Amino acid sequence: MENYYALIDWDGTVRSGFTIVSWAKFLVKNKIISGQIIKDLENLFDLYSKKQLTHDQLAEHSANVYANYIQGVTVDILKGQAVLFTESDRFHLINLSFKLLDYLKDRGVTLIAISGTPLEILSQYKHLLALSYVYALELEHFDGIYTGNIISNPGISETKKRLAESLIKKDWQVIVAMGNSESDIPLFEAAQIRVIVNNSDLSIEGNNFKLNDEIQLKTILDVLEAKITK
């Protein structure tokens, strides 16, 4: 059997909603950062809901807001908070996507998450869901303290494209990509089978499927089974 890989977005694809908002509220509740971040993020997401921001713009601006508020927090404190947050966050996982990931994992497909979710959170889920690699929003830190600068933001399509292209150059067989927004198009373009989760408005060319119910999940699994075992 060939070595197959899956490229997976996170927010809205594996986890419902936007992790960065829930994570920010958690940090505010535990008095790690200022409560003003909630209002700043909600303003951005309101603009996005009104289609005054693209998904790429939302990913860029929300990351900048988050990095600014995290400035001065220690790495150890944030990692400790991430462990606690993830324990209470699991109920946000989308059941159909979770079943698809389980199938892929059981078939030996390497799972790679590429997302604008903060790295501290996705690193916790890496172990919980047996993800092989995670590429997530990474913030700069110096002497164990966050500086407020961003190292990488894979929530933006340009970064997703660069990462996907780097995998293709290594001759990895990307059997499937899962996503839910236009920012995920570079992941879809790299994959043989494209799975759009909970977004009926998103349209892409090629061999694509919608994942909104159990019937659609079975169809996707049948297609993948035929591809993997041929």
Side-chain angles (χ1 to χ4, degrees):
M1 187 179 77
E2 293 187 59
N3 291 320
Y4 286 120
Y5 300 83
L7 304 183
I8 305 157
D9 174 54
W10 187 256
D11 286 340
T13 299
V14 177
R15 181 200 187 273
S16 61
F18 291 93
T19 306
I20 200 167
V21 176
S22 300
W23 173 226
K25 290 179 178 178
F26 183 86
L27 294 175
V28 169
K29 180 181 178 181
N30 289 341
K31 303 185 185 307
I32 306 299
I33 57 177
S34 168
Q36 181 62 34
I37 189 176
I38 297 174
K39 183 175 181 179
D40 290 350
L41 287 174
E42 287 178 345
N43 286 339
L44 290 175
F45 282 91
D46 182 56
L47 291 173
Y48 175 67
S49 68
K50 295 175 179 176
K51 302 188 183 302
Q52 294 177 17
L53 288 179
T54 65
H55 193 277
D56 269 3
Q57 290 170 331
L58 175 67
E60 180 180 4
H61 295 329
S62 60
N64 288 336
V65 167
Y66 172 69
N68 181 61
Y69 280 94
I70 293 299
Q71 183 177 1
V73 177
T74 68
V75 172
D76 287 343
I77 285 178
L78 208 63
K79 283 184 177 179
Q81 291 293 311
V83 172
L84 298 174
F85 172 80
T86 307
E87 289 175 355
S88 63
D89 185 65
R90 299 181 199 180
F91 74 92
H92 285 293
L93 296 180
I94 299 171
N95 187 47
L96 291 175
S97 297
F98 190 76
K99 288 181 178 179
L100 180 51
L101 291 184
D102 263 356
Y103 166 85
L104 293 169
K105 182 174 60 177
D106 289 344
R107 293 302 186 276
V109 176
T110 298
L111 307 180
I112 303 173
I114 302 178
S115 167
T117 300
L119 180 60
E120 293 76 18
I121 303 304
L122 215 51
S123 293
Q124 295 299 315
Y125 275 114
K126 177 183 178 182
H127 303 296
L128 289 171
L129 302 183
L131 303 173
S132 297
Y133 304 96
V134 296
Y135 297 93
L137 176 61
E138 184 176 1
L139 304 185
E140 179 186 69
H141 53 83
F142 182 73
D143 284 345
I145 300 175
Y146 289 100
T147 66
N149 296 321
I150 295 173
I151 293 177
S152 178
N153 183 2
I156 300 171
S157 59
E158 181 180 349
T159 308
K160 288 181 187 278
K161 181 178 181 179
R162 176 175 54 79
L163 289 169
E165 288 177 346
S166 71
L167 298 177
I168 293 172
K169 289 178 182 178
K170 294 178 181 178
D171 295 324
W172 292 10
Q173 296 296 311
V174 182
I175 189 172
V176 62
M178 296 171 60
N180 81 315
S181 76
E182 64 271 18
S183 295
D184 299 319
I185 288 176
L187 305 185
F188 292 133
E189 291 177 340
Q192 299 172 35
I193 297 168
R194 297 88 180 265
V195 177
I196 301 171
V197 182
N198 293 332
N199 188 346
S200 300
D201 295 330
L202 183 62
S203 179
I204 54 175
E205 296 181 358
N207 193 14
N208 64 84
F209 300 87
K210 305 284 187 178
L211 180 56
N212 301 309
D213 57 43
E214 291 283 352
I215 294 175
Q216 292 170 328
L217 175 63
K218 184 181 184 305
T219 299
I220 294 167
L221 295 183
D222 287 345
V223 172
L224 283 168
E225 186 69 14
K227 182 71 174 177
I228 291 173
T229 58
K230 74 174 183 178

